[in-house]
Amino acid sequence: MRLILLFNILLEVVTALALDGNTIGANILVIYISDLCFADDISLAAKSINDLQHLMDKIHTTSSRFGLKVSTAKTEVQCIGQERQQMKTMLGYTQPMQCEDFVYHGGVIS
């Protein structure tokens, strides 16, 4: 139990350092939300592909500083909006798979 707690604290530190001072994210009312975290999952939100790439780079780089590796096999990108577009983002040297529907802890995001 303590190891899980320590890992979650480390992940929060990584996320906080990576996104410190960040003004990128989905605008909800007057708040910009750039990330949602649950256990060892991080969901990033951005208004453009370039902004998403910037967030992904920051998380990837900061994770590496702490000896953590973002799973490229589990990483997916999704475009939500009126105009669906091809997401050409990179996680390190790998292009994540783009999905139409994303299942997150039993809920479907589409």
Side-chain angles (χ1 to χ4, degrees):
M1 183 66 172
R2 288 184 181 161
L3 287 178
I4 294 170
L5 180 60
L6 287 174
F7 178 77
N8 285 339
I9 291 170
L10 176 61
L11 200 56
E12 285 296 320
V13 168
V14 166
T15 305
L17 288 173
L19 304 178
D20 184 42
N22 179 50
T23 57
I24 297 171
N27 187 358
I28 300 175
L29 298 176
V30 295
I31 299 171
Y32 282 94
I33 297 176
S34 60
D35 64 296
L36 301 170
C37 300
F38 182 81
D40 64 343
D41 293 330
I42 301 172
S43 178
L44 300 173
K47 292 180 90 172
S48 71
I49 295 171
N50 288 338
D51 286 351
L52 178 61
Q53 184 64 61
H54 177 75
L55 293 176
M56 290 172 63
D57 291 344
K58 296 286 281 178
I59 291 290
H60 186 259
T61 302
T62 307
S63 296
S64 297
R65 285 180 33 209
F66 286 88
L68 300 175
K69 183 179 178 188
V70 178
S71 172
T72 54
K74 293 182 181 179
T75 300
E76 297 177 337
V77 295
Q78 180 183 27
C79 179
I80 299 174
Q82 293 177 343
E83 293 182 25
R84 302 288 175 151
Q85 55 184 303
Q86 183 66 19
M87 306 284 286
K88 298 196 189 278
T89 57
M90 298 296 289
L91 183 60
Y93 299 107
T94 306
Q95 184 173 2
M97 183 180 79
Q98 183 168 345
C99 62
E100 291 298 317
D101 295 321
F102 181 70
V103 178
Y104 189 73
H105 296 283
V108 177
I109 301 170
S110 59

